Amino acid sequence: MMAQLTFLAMMGCSAALLAGFFGALHPAFDSFSHFRMHLSVLTALLALVLLAGSYRLQAVAVLLFAIACLATTMSALPRLSTQQAVAKPADRIVYSLLQMNLRFNNPTPKKVLSLIGRTNPDVITLDEVSSMWATELGYIASAYPYRILCDYPNGVFGVALLSRRPFAAGTAPRCEPRGAMATAMIDFNGVPVNVAAIHLSWPWPMEQYWQIGELSESLAALGETAIMAGDCNAVPWSAAVRRVARLSGMTLMPSAGPTWIHRTLPDFLRRYAGLPIDQVFSKGGVTILSSARLEDTGSDHLPVLVEFTLRPNSNTPEDEHKSALAQNVSAAEPRG
């Protein structure tokens, strides 16, 4: 009887794993994809139990299937150190973006403000910005004077965008439909970059699928050079995240690792058994250099710090300065 129950459980997990690969057909299937890592491990353990019994052939086949499924999540598996994408170039300025789901009722807001002060990012994307956070973020208004806070209808799940660098001349930040997305054109030393903060709802049967549709025009309207970060409530390999990337024309950054788990569970489990649902996208002149999960700040999400560079425009002040410097050096060289 135990062998039969284990076999049925193994086949049920296998069916859920398989369904997750068909998320593009219906969002209900995509809901299974978010737990692919966990289902793969559970399915493999059940198969190992059955290897010594009469279901050994089925167990071998399912074990191989589970391993193959787990392999598709390798880029988001837990890691101990910073995820380095490319080496830091010596001839470009390195900028930083801090992505945080604040949690609307975070009991330790000062931890958040302390982390911001210590990391000193150029731009910050925030989720679950409730009325409480509107007050708390006011304490760092002098450090981050360029900002926009977008209210969500329930007053809880709003987004915000804070920047130490000014908005590009002649532009204004804006809130997208129902406060799920904030966008701004930010001037990075003469290079204008579209920066967006996004917060998606939970997967099917919640409204995530329809919400992405609502945001499709806003995503498509992002400029040629852009970076977007937020709590997508969806894993990197899901149809939902692929759809966001396709609509925006952006590339998904390799995952920093698991960032969320239920707030009643310890931080250790979040880092090594959580869901990697905080995502960063980029396109155009943005080059992602590295990403790292930071310490707990009282939310059920871990903050993610991203470093990036920008390909300078041909007419930026930085390029003009380099050109003038080169001419001066050339003029000063002795001629023979």
Side-chain angles (χ1 to χ4, degrees), residues 97 99 125-127 196-199 227-231 279-281:
L97 178 150
Q99 154 58 24
T125 54
L126 302 171
D127 309 304
I198 189 170
H199 187 198
I227 185 167
M228 177 172 66
D231 171 13
Q279 314 297 352
V280 180
F281 306 80

Side-chain angles (χ1 to χ4, degrees), residues 102-109 129-137 155:
L102 298 171
R103 183 154 183 85
F104 66 95
N105 61 351
N106 190 323
T108 57
V129 182
S130 60
S131 58
M132 177 197 86
W133 282 109
T135 300
E136 294 291 339
L137 295 174

Side-chain angles (χ1 to χ4, degrees), residues 5 9 40 75 87 115 163 176 179 199 235 248 279 283 288:
L5 290 175
S40 296
S75 64
L115 178 66
S163 174
E176 304 305 338
H199 187 198
V235 294
S248 62
Q279 314 297 352
K283 67 176 176 178
I288 302 293

Side-chain angles (χ1 to χ4, degrees), residues 9 70 80 97 116 131 133 137 140-141 190 205 244 248 256 280 296-297:
L70 186 62
L80 296 175
L97 178 150
I116 291 174
S131 58
W133 282 109
L137 295 174
I140 57 172
V244 170
S248 62
V280 180
D296 173 40
T297 56

Side-chain angles (χ1 to χ4, degrees), residues 124-205:
I124 308 170
T125 54
L126 302 171
D127 309 304
E128 292 199 27
V129 182
S130 60
S131 58
M132 177 197 86
W133 282 109
T135 300
E136 294 291 339
L137 295 174
Y139 298 133
I140 57 172
S142 59
Y144 291 89
Y146 307 99
R147 55 179 54 201
I148 182 171
L149 279 66
C150 302
D151 293 328
Y152 198 76
N154 64 6
V156 171
F157 297 137
V159 298
L161 188 59
L162 278 58
S163 174
R164 292 196 292 114
R165 300 182 178 275
F167 297 135
T171 68
R174 57 177 295 180
C175 295
E176 304 305 338
R178 297 196 297 148
M181 184 176 171
T183 60
M185 181 74 77
I186 296 178
D187 186 337
F188 289 88
N189 293 312
V191 182
V193 179
N194 263 135
V195 180
I198 189 170
H199 187 198
L200 298 180
S201 180
W202 287 2
W204 188 94

